Amino acid sequence: MKEIEGIIERKRNIEEVKLMKPLVWAYIGDCIYEIFIRMKLVNSTHLDPHRLHIETIKYVKAKAQAEVLIKIYDNLTDEEKDIVRRGRNAEAHHQPKNAELVDYKYATAFEALIGYLYLSKQDERLKEILEMCI
């Protein structure tokens, strides 16, 4: 993530990040996770853009993210588990279109964790967790 530090500034300090709503963390986490998956696929395959999109969806859909969270959960710290809990319990104001509600909540929790780590500049830990996902 250091490569994009100059392009995407993270100005908030840790206390400000902790006070953000979990859905804000999830909003950013969704972007970070998708770009991580897209870059993994671009760097490891020779697929055309349409196939890249199809493959990316397999990783970023709610059910897949929920499964990843379950897979990595035991490796999280207590603080990270608290972030996950807050993300899971955040009240969304719409129904998911293409996912079961439980998968959607766990996907939101996963995205919240990714977003929280990114926004709080815990880049090494973020990298560790992203590598656990693949």
Side-chain angles (χ1 to χ4, degrees):
M1 297 289 171
K2 295 258 188 250
E3 304 84 37
I4 61 172
E5 186 67 34
I7 299 169
I8 303 173
E9 260 186 277
R10 294 177 281 176
K11 293 183 176 184
R12 306 287 180 135
N13 66 42
I14 187 72
E15 295 309 315
E16 290 175 309
V17 173
K18 286 180 180 181
L19 294 174
M20 290 176 170
K21 293 182 179 188
L23 291 178
V24 173
W25 300 332
Y27 174 75
I28 294 298
D30 176 51
C31 299
I32 298 300
Y33 187 62
E34 185 160 344
I35 200 164
F36 169 75
I37 294 299
R38 286 180 179 211
M39 290 306 300
K40 278 285 192 190
L41 291 172
V42 165
N43 289 333
S44 65
T45 70
H46 298 287
L47 300 174
D48 62 66
H50 178 71
R51 279 304 299 161
L52 284 167
H53 175 71
I54 299 301
E55 287 300 309
T56 298
I57 290 170
K58 292 177 184 177
Y59 292 94
V60 300
K61 63 184 178 182
K63 185 167 184 60
Q65 289 182 347
E67 290 170 356
V68 164
L69 179 59
I70 290 166
K71 174 181 147 184
I72 68 169
Y73 188 80
D74 289 340
N75 296 310
L76 301 180
T77 66
D78 289 341
E79 178 189 19
E80 292 163 350
K81 288 177 181 177
D82 187 54
I83 297 301
V84 165
R85 180 190 55 77
R86 290 179 61 192
R88 185 191 65 231
N89 293 337
E91 189 171 337
H93 298 287
H94 67 281
Q95 291 290 333
K97 291 181 239 169
N98 300 314
E100 296 293 322
L101 185 59
V102 68
D103 288 335
Y104 183 78
K105 286 185 165 287
Y106 278 91
T108 301
F110 173 71
E111 291 170 348
L113 174 63
I114 299 302
Y116 177 83
L117 292 172
Y118 178 78
L119 289 168
S120 61
K121 303 174 187 170
Q122 297 182 52
D123 295 342
E124 286 303 314
R125 183 60 177 156
L126 175 59
K127 183 178 177 185
E128 288 173 19
I129 287 177
L130 289 173
E131 291 298 330
M132 284 186 241
C133 296
I134 299 295

PDB file of all heavy atoms in Angstrom, residues 13-30:
ATOM      1  N   ASN A  13      -6.149  10.584  12.467  1.00  0.00           N
ATOM      2  CA  ASN A  13      -5.349   9.889  13.467  1.00  0.00           C
ATOM      3  C   ASN A  13      -6.177   8.724  14.023  1.00  0.00           C
ATOM      4  O   ASN A  13      -7.380   8.627  13.769  1.00  0.00           O
ATOM      5  CB  ASN A  13      -4.857  10.836  14.565  1.00  0.00           C
ATOM      6  CG  ASN A  13      -5.983  11.402  15.401  1.00  0.00           C
ATOM      7  OD1 ASN A  13      -6.917  10.698  15.777  1.00  0.00           O
ATOM      8  ND2 ASN A  13      -5.890  12.681  15.719  1.00  0.00           N
ATOM      9  N   ILE A  14      -5.563   7.864  14.781  1.00  0.00           N
ATOM     10  CA  ILE A  14      -6.207   6.642  15.253  1.00  0.00           C
ATOM     11  C   ILE A  14      -7.459   6.936  16.075  1.00  0.00           C
ATOM     12  O   ILE A  14      -8.461   6.233  15.969  1.00  0.00           O
ATOM     13  CB  ILE A  14      -5.211   5.739  16.033  1.00  0.00           C
ATOM     14  CG1 ILE A  14      -5.832   4.391  16.381  1.00  0.00           C
ATOM     15  CG2 ILE A  14      -4.712   6.420  17.277  1.00  0.00           C
ATOM     16  CD1 ILE A  14      -6.005   3.467  15.221  1.00  0.00           C
ATOM     17  N   GLU A  15      -7.430   7.983  16.874  1.00  0.00           N
ATOM     18  CA  GLU A  15      -8.607   8.311  17.692  1.00  0.00           C
ATOM     19  C   GLU A  15      -9.789   8.725  16.819  1.00  0.00           C
ATOM     20  O   GLU A  15     -10.929   8.374  17.117  1.00  0.00           O
ATOM     21  CB  GLU A  15      -8.272   9.387  18.728  1.00  0.00           C
ATOM     22  CG  GLU A  15      -7.258   8.925  19.773  1.00  0.00           C
ATOM     23  CD  GLU A  15      -7.626   7.600  20.441  1.00  0.00           C
ATOM     24  OE1 GLU A  15      -8.801   7.417  20.816  1.00  0.00           O
ATOM     25  OE2 GLU A  15      -6.737   6.749  20.590  1.00  0.00           O
ATOM     26  N   GLU A  16      -9.513   9.474  15.764  1.00  0.00           N
ATOM     27  CA  GLU A  16     -10.587   9.856  14.838  1.00  0.00           C
ATOM     28  C   GLU A  16     -11.147   8.630  14.121  1.00  0.00           C
ATOM     29  O   GLU A  16     -12.358   8.519  13.935  1.00  0.00           O
ATOM     30  CB  GLU A  16     -10.075  10.857  13.805  1.00  0.00           C
ATOM     31  CG  GLU A  16      -9.774  12.229  14.373  1.00  0.00           C
ATOM     32  CD  GLU A  16      -9.153  13.141  13.330  1.00  0.00           C
ATOM     33  OE1 GLU A  16      -8.171  12.741  12.679  1.00  0.00           O
ATOM     34  OE2 GLU A  16      -9.675  14.257  13.185  1.00  0.00           O
ATOM     35  N   VAL A  17     -10.268   7.735  13.728  1.00  0.00           N
ATOM     36  CA  VAL A  17     -10.706   6.514  13.037  1.00  0.00           C
ATOM     37  C   VAL A  17     -11.582   5.677  13.959  1.00  0.00           C
ATOM     38  O   VAL A  17     -12.627   5.163  13.538  1.00  0.00           O
ATOM     39  CB  VAL A  17      -9.492   5.705  12.518  1.00  0.00           C
ATOM     40  CG1 VAL A  17      -9.942   4.364  11.954  1.00  0.00           C
ATOM     41  CG2 VAL A  17      -8.724   6.498  11.467  1.00  0.00           C
ATOM     42  N   LYS A  18     -11.206   5.547  15.213  1.00  0.00           N
ATOM     43  CA  LYS A  18     -11.997   4.764  16.165  1.00  0.00           C
ATOM     44  C   LYS A  18     -13.406   5.319  16.340  1.00  0.00           C
ATOM     45  O   LYS A  18     -14.332   4.576  16.638  1.00  0.00           O
ATOM     46  CB  LYS A  18     -11.295   4.704  17.523  1.00  0.00           C
ATOM     47  CG  LYS A  18     -10.098   3.800  17.541  1.00  0.00           C
ATOM     48  CD  LYS A  18      -9.436   3.778  18.911  1.00  0.00           C
ATOM     49  CE  LYS A  18      -8.239   2.852  18.904  1.00  0.00           C
ATOM     50  NZ  LYS A  18      -7.582   2.780  20.209  1.00  0.00           N
ATOM     51  N   LEU A  19     -13.571   6.633  16.163  1.00  0.00           N
ATOM     52  CA  LEU A  19     -14.870   7.263  16.338  1.00  0.00           C
ATOM     53  C   LEU A  19     -15.753   7.219  15.091  1.00  0.00           C
ATOM     54  O   LEU A  19     -16.927   7.573  15.150  1.00  0.00           O
ATOM     55  CB  LEU A  19     -14.686   8.725  16.778  1.00  0.00           C
ATOM     56  CG  LEU A  19     -14.064   8.917  18.155  1.00  0.00           C
ATOM     57  CD1 LEU A  19     -13.808  10.392  18.420  1.00  0.00           C
ATOM     58  CD2 LEU A  19     -14.941   8.308  19.245  1.00  0.00           C
ATOM     59  N   MET A  20     -15.189   6.776  13.981  1.00  0.00           N
ATOM     60  CA  MET A  20     -15.983   6.669  12.750  1.00  0.00           C
ATOM     61  C   MET A  20     -17.037   5.577  12.883  1.00  0.00           C
ATOM     62  O   MET A  20     -16.857   4.616  13.633  1.00  0.00           O
ATOM     63  CB  MET A  20     -15.091   6.347  11.554  1.00  0.00           C
ATOM     64  CG  MET A  20     -14.206   7.452  11.126  1.00  0.00           C
ATOM     65  SD  MET A  20     -13.143   6.871   9.771  1.00  0.00           S
ATOM     66  CE  MET A  20     -12.440   8.397   9.254  1.00  0.00           C
ATOM     67  N   LYS A  21     -18.086   5.719  12.131  1.00  0.00           N
ATOM     68  CA  LYS A  21     -19.109   4.686  12.093  1.00  0.00           C
ATOM     69  C   LYS A  21     -18.558   3.456  11.369  1.00  0.00           C
ATOM     70  O   LYS A  21     -17.817   3.585  10.388  1.00  0.00           O
ATOM     71  CB  LYS A  21     -20.354   5.197  11.382  1.00  0.00           C
ATOM     72  CG  LYS A  21     -21.036   6.297  12.155  1.00  0.00           C
ATOM     73  CD  LYS A  21     -22.283   6.770  11.467  1.00  0.00           C
ATOM     74  CE  LYS A  21     -22.916   7.859  12.324  1.00  0.00           C
ATOM     75  NZ  LYS A  21     -24.212   8.257  11.838  1.00  0.00           N
ATOM     76  N   PRO A  22     -18.915   2.274  11.828  1.00  0.00           N
ATOM     77  CA  PRO A  22     -18.434   1.047  11.185  1.00  0.00           C
ATOM     78  C   PRO A  22     -18.765   0.964   9.692  1.00  0.00           C
ATOM     79  O   PRO A  22     -17.996   0.393   8.921  1.00  0.00           O
ATOM     80  CB  PRO A  22     -19.137  -0.062  11.964  1.00  0.00           C
ATOM     81  CG  PRO A  22     -19.382   0.534  13.306  1.00  0.00           C
ATOM     82  CD  PRO A  22     -19.666   1.994  13.050  1.00  0.00           C
ATOM     83  N   LEU A  23     -19.869   1.543   9.269  1.00  0.00           N
ATOM     84  CA  LEU A  23     -20.196   1.506   7.846  1.00  0.00           C
ATOM     85  C   LEU A  23     -19.260   2.384   7.020  1.00  0.00           C
ATOM     86  O   LEU A  23     -19.082   2.138   5.826  1.00  0.00           O
ATOM     87  CB  LEU A  23     -21.659   1.886   7.608  1.00  0.00           C
ATOM     88  CG  LEU A  23     -22.674   0.865   8.116  1.00  0.00           C
ATOM     89  CD1 LEU A  23     -24.095   1.349   7.870  1.00  0.00           C
ATOM     90  CD2 LEU A  23     -22.462  -0.514   7.513  1.00  0.00           C
ATOM     91  N   VAL A  24     -18.624   3.368   7.652  1.00  0.00           N
ATOM     92  CA  VAL A  24     -17.597   4.152   6.958  1.00  0.00           C
ATOM     93  C   VAL A  24     -16.357   3.281   6.767  1.00  0.00           C
ATOM     94  O   VAL A  24     -15.756   3.270   5.687  1.00  0.00           O
ATOM     95  CB  VAL A  24     -17.263   5.457   7.720  1.00  0.00           C
ATOM     96  CG1 VAL A  24     -16.077   6.182   7.085  1.00  0.00           C
ATOM     97  CG2 VAL A  24     -18.482   6.358   7.782  1.00  0.00           C
ATOM     98  N   TRP A  25     -15.998   2.541   7.807  1.00  0.00           N
ATOM     99  CA  TRP A  25     -14.870   1.602   7.654  1.00  0.00           C
ATOM    100  C   TRP A  25     -15.158   0.625   6.524  1.00  0.00           C
ATOM    101  O   TRP A  25     -14.296   0.334   5.693  1.00  0.00           O
ATOM    102  CB  TRP A  25     -14.629   0.804   8.936  1.00  0.00           C
ATOM    103  CG  TRP A  25     -14.314   1.584  10.157  1.00  0.00           C
ATOM    104  CD1 TRP A  25     -13.719   2.806  10.249  1.00  0.00           C
ATOM    105  CD2 TRP A  25     -14.573   1.164  11.498  1.00  0.00           C
ATOM    106  NE1 TRP A  25     -13.601   3.171  11.571  1.00  0.00           N
ATOM    107  CE2 TRP A  25     -14.106   2.191  12.355  1.00  0.00           C
ATOM    108  CE3 TRP A  25     -15.146   0.032  12.059  1.00  0.00           C
ATOM    109  CZ2 TRP A  25     -14.200   2.095  13.744  1.00  0.00           C
ATOM    110  CZ3 TRP A  25     -15.242  -0.063  13.439  1.00  0.00           C
ATOM    111  CH2 TRP A  25     -14.779   0.960  14.269  1.00  0.00           C
ATOM    112  N   ALA A  26     -16.387   0.085   6.516  1.00  0.00           N
ATOM    113  CA  ALA A  26     -16.770  -0.896   5.501  1.00  0.00           C
ATOM    114  C   ALA A  26     -16.754  -0.280   4.100  1.00  0.00           C
ATOM    115  O   ALA A  26     -16.366  -0.945   3.135  1.00  0.00           O
ATOM    116  CB  ALA A  26     -18.142  -1.481   5.820  1.00  0.00           C
ATOM    117  N   TYR A  27     -17.161   0.959   3.995  1.00  0.00           N
ATOM    118  CA  TYR A  27     -17.169   1.667   2.713  1.00  0.00           C
ATOM    119  C   TYR A  27     -15.761   1.691   2.108  1.00  0.00           C
ATOM    120  O   TYR A  27     -15.566   1.389   0.932  1.00  0.00           O
ATOM    121  CB  TYR A  27     -17.706   3.081   2.938  1.00  0.00           C
ATOM    122  CG  TYR A  27     -17.655   3.987   1.742  1.00  0.00           C
ATOM    123  CD1 TYR A  27     -18.564   3.836   0.699  1.00  0.00           C
ATOM    124  CD2 TYR A  27     -16.712   5.008   1.661  1.00  0.00           C
ATOM    125  CE1 TYR A  27     -18.529   4.690  -0.393  1.00  0.00           C
ATOM    126  CE2 TYR A  27     -16.676   5.859   0.576  1.00  0.00           C
ATOM    127  CZ  TYR A  27     -17.584   5.695  -0.452  1.00  0.00           C
ATOM    128  OH  TYR A  27     -17.540   6.537  -1.528  1.00  0.00           O
ATOM    129  N   ILE A  28     -14.787   2.033   2.943  1.00  0.00           N
ATOM    130  CA  ILE A  28     -13.393   2.062   2.478  1.00  0.00           C
ATOM    131  C   ILE A  28     -12.844   0.642   2.323  1.00  0.00           C
ATOM    132  O   ILE A  28     -12.141   0.334   1.362  1.00  0.00           O
ATOM    133  CB  ILE A  28     -12.513   2.885   3.447  1.00  0.00           C
ATOM    134  CG1 ILE A  28     -12.935   4.356   3.424  1.00  0.00           C
ATOM    135  CG2 ILE A  28     -11.023   2.730   3.124  1.00  0.00           C
ATOM    136  CD1 ILE A  28     -12.781   5.039   2.082  1.00  0.00           C
ATOM    137  N   GLY A  29     -13.173  -0.226   3.263  1.00  0.00           N
ATOM    138  CA  GLY A  29     -12.683  -1.608   3.209  1.00  0.00           C
ATOM    139  C   GLY A  29     -13.116  -2.325   1.955  1.00  0.00           C
ATOM    140  O   GLY A  29     -12.361  -3.125   1.382  1.00  0.00           O
ATOM    141  N   ASP A  30     -14.324  -2.062   1.489  1.00  0.00           N
ATOM    142  CA  ASP A  30     -14.816  -2.651   0.249  1.00  0.00           C
ATOM    143  C   ASP A  30     -13.894  -2.292  -0.908  1.00  0.00           C
ATOM    144  O   ASP A  30     -13.505  -3.149  -1.707  1.00  0.00           O
ATOM    145  CB  ASP A  30     -16.245  -2.154  -0.005  1.00  0.00           C
ATOM    146  CG  ASP A  30     -16.821  -2.642  -1.320  1.00  0.00           C
ATOM    147  OD1 ASP A  30     -16.781  -3.859  -1.579  1.00  0.00           O
ATOM    148  OD2 ASP A  30     -17.324  -1.801  -2.088  1.00  0.00           O
TER     149      ASP A  30
END
